Amino acid sequence: MRALCWEGVNDLRVQTVPDPVIVNPHDVILRITMSTTCGSDLHFIDGYVPSMLPGDVIGHEFMGVVEDVGPEVKKVKKGDRVVVPSFVACGDCWYCQHDLYSLCDNTNPNAELQAPLLGYPTGACFGYTHAFGGYAGSHAQYMRVPHADVGCFQVPEGLRDEQVLFLSDAAPTGYMGADFCDIKPGDIVAVWGCGGVGLMAQQSAFLLGAERVIAIDRFPERLKMARDHIGSETINYVETPDVLAVLHEMTGGRGPDACIDAVGMEAYGTGPGYLYDKAKQTLRLVTDRGQALRQAIMAVRKGGTLSILGVYGVMDKFPIGVLMNKGVTVRTAQQHGQHYLPRLLEHAVKGELDPSYLATHRFSLEDGPRAYAMFKNKEDGIVRAVFTP
C-alpha cells in the first residue's frame, strides 16, 4: 500500500509499505477514507520531538471503513464506518476506568522511552514517534487499529466524512480544553490559537456555556473564521502587540475567567523575548518557544483557570510564580477522545457542531509532502489539509 512516511527532519516521502495485518484478536484493519494534518505533527517533522525512525508512517487524525476484524472484536464489524481517537486505549486499566484514556497503562510498548522523562509513561498515539508507541499512522490506504471495541466509534447515518473527521482529534482536544475550564454562566474565555484545535476550543466554550470567547492569532483569515463560524471576538497580536492591555480592557479590568493555550512549542511571537526563545530553540537548548503560554498565564484573572492543549517539552523562563501567586488552576492533558467522542457525535447529529469548515485544502496522499509544506508555512490560508487515499 502507499503511505506518507517520515525519513528525517523536514523530509517526508510517499512510499510503498507492507499492508497491515491483524496482530492481536482485538484488532481491526481500517480502510482509510479521510485523514488530516495536525499542528503537533510539525513538532517531530521539525525535529523537536525525538524518537522517529526512517520509514515511520505518520498521521493520527482519521476515519475509515472496517475491512477486517479480529476474533475478539464485538462492537464493530466489517463494513462499519468509524471515527477513531488519536490515542490508543485498552479500556480496562485504572486510567481508562477513570476516563483518562490518553494515560492508558497498557497500550504503549515503548514505556521505557518515556518513563525517564515523564516519570510514568502515557498511552500510545498513532503515527507519533516511538516514544508514543511506534504505531503506524493514518496517512495510508489501510491501518491497524488495536483495541477496536474501545477506539472505534460508529458514524451515525446522515453525517458526511468532513463533519466527522475532526472528531478524531481536533474537536475532542478543543472540547476537553473547554471542559477543563469549568465554565459558568457569564464566563469569558480567551483562546490562543485559531488552528483546528483552537477553533474547536472556542466553539466548545460556547457549547459549554461561555458568554464571550476571545480568540488571539496573527492570521487574518483564521481570525475571520473564528468570527464568522463561531462568533468569537478577535485580537490580531501583530497589529495589536499589547495583548494583555487589550484583554484587560475587554474584560473590564478583571481578565478572562479562563485561558486556553492551543498553540504549543512552536509559537510565533513578537519582541526580544520571542527572538531569545527562537535562538535557544534553534540551538536545541530548549524545545519550546513559550510566548503564547506565558501570555496566557499573565492574562488569566486571579483564581482563574489555565487550560493547556498545546504540546510542550522543555521551556525556559516558565513563570510558575505567577500561577502560584494568582491562585490559578492549571489543567492539561493529551486528549481523552474515547470519553468525549459520544458527546461530540451527539452535538454533530443535532447540528450543534460541524467542524467541516476546517478542511480548507484537499490533497491526494501522493501530494502529502507538498501539503505538509503548505501547512507548515501557513500558505494560501490553509487551516487543515485533508487526504483522501
Side-chain angles (χ1 to χ4, degrees):
M1 70 172 183
R2 301 291 280 172
L4 181 60
C5 302
W6 185 92
E7 288 298 325
V9 174
N10 291 311
D11 184 3
L12 300 180
R13 305 179 196 179
V14 179
Q15 303 183 29
T16 298
V17 301
D19 289 356
V21 297
I22 298 289
V23 175
N24 296 310
H26 48 63
D27 293 347
V28 300
I29 302 300
L30 209 62
R31 175 173 57 83
I32 301 299
T33 56
M34 194 170 279
S35 65
T36 181
T37 56
C38 178
S40 59
D41 295 334
L42 301 178
H43 305 327
F44 65 74
I45 292 172
D46 290 340
Y48 299 123
V49 177
S51 74
M52 291 292 288
L53 294 176
D56 284 347
V57 180
I58 70 171
H60 61 262
E61 193 163 358
F62 62 99
M63 62 180 300
V65 175
V66 176
E67 287 286 303
D68 195 9
V69 299
E72 294 184 11
V73 176
K74 307 299 182 185
K75 296 182 180 179
V76 294
K77 62 185 183 302
K78 185 174 180 179
D80 281 350
R81 183 167 160 250
V82 298
V83 59
V84 182
S86 56
F87 269 77
V88 188
C90 73
D92 295 321
C93 71
W94 187 92
Y95 292 97
C96 289
Q97 290 297 304
H98 288 79
D99 293 329
L100 303 172
Y101 290 95
S102 69
L103 304 178
C104 178
D105 255 344
N106 294 325
T107 56
N108 188 343
N110 299 325
E112 72 281 357
L113 296 179
Q114 280 195 352
L117 299 174
L118 303 182
Y120 301 93
T122 71
C125 180
F126 292 108
Y128 203 86
T129 79
H130 287 264
F132 282 91
Y135 288 80
S138 61
H139 295 334
Q141 293 173 296
Y142 299 90
M143 70 180 293
R144 180 175 74 94
V145 178
H147 299 285
D149 282 339
V150 180
C152 290
F153 291 79
Q154 296 191 42
V155 178
E157 291 293 328
L159 294 179
R160 296 174 289 108
D161 281 4
E162 293 86 346
Q163 292 176 275
V164 177
L165 170 63
F166 299 102
L167 305 191
S168 170
D169 189 276
T173 303
Y175 200 95
M176 179 186 72
D179 191 31
F180 281 170
C181 295
D182 191 24
I183 294 169
K184 303 291 193 301
D187 275 0
I188 302 172
V189 179
V191 180
W192 275 255
C194 289
V197 170
L199 290 166
M200 289 296 96
Q202 294 165 43
Q203 191 159 4
S204 298
F206 277 126
L207 285 172
L208 292 173
E211 181 173 310
R212 295 168 62 198
V213 175
I214 303 170
I216 300 101
D217 205 298
R218 66 185 171 114
F219 293 100
E221 63 275 10
R222 293 188 175 197
L223 292 165
K224 184 176 187 300
M225 196 173 282
R227 291 190 299 269
D228 293 351
H229 289 278
I230 300 169
S232 301
E233 302 165 58
T234 59
I235 300 173
N236 185 325
Y237 67 81
V238 173
E239 297 176 355
T240 310
D242 196 346
V243 172
L244 296 179
V246 175
L247 285 171
H248 187 270
E249 182 178 351
M250 293 176 75
T251 59
R254 191 174 70 174
D257 299 287
C259 291
I260 300 175
D261 165 31
V263 179
M265 66 171 63
E266 294 186 73
Y268 183 82
T270 58
Y274 169 70
L275 296 176
Y276 176 85
D277 281 348
K278 188 173 182 180
K280 292 198 72 171
Q281 189 187 56
T282 300
L283 295 171
R284 297 301 195 266
L285 299 175
V286 297
T287 59
D288 302 348
R289 301 196 300 260
Q291 191 154 3
L293 179 54
R294 294 191 201 101
Q295 199 171 72
I297 291 170
M298 291 296 294
V300 66
R301 69 162 169 83
K302 294 177 291 185
T305 300
L306 173 67
S307 174
I308 305 173
L309 301 179
V311 173
Y312 287 98
V314 178
M315 183 185 297
D316 193 10
K317 306 187 304 301
F318 184 78
I320 185 68
V322 178
L323 295 171
M324 186 275 292
N325 282 289
K326 285 170 42 176
V328 174
T329 297
V330 180
R331 297 289 306 275
T332 185
Q334 299 276 13
Q335 63 120 343
H336 305 305
Q338 289 84 347
H339 175 58
Y340 290 104
L341 247 167
R343 205 181 314 178
L344 292 168
L345 286 167
E346 185 177 338
H347 282 307
V349 168
K350 291 179 179 178
E352 297 168 342
L353 178 66
D354 181 359
S356 57
Y357 62 88
L358 300 179
T360 55
H361 291 67
R362 296 173 183 274
F363 295 87
S364 70
L365 191 59
E366 298 295 325
D367 287 327
R370 181 168 68 90
Y372 267 97
M374 287 183 64
F375 181 58
K376 175 181 176 179
N377 296 316
K378 310 293 191 296
E379 297 173 5
D380 192 37
I382 192 170
V383 174
R384 286 296 186 91
V386 170
F387 301 113
T388 49

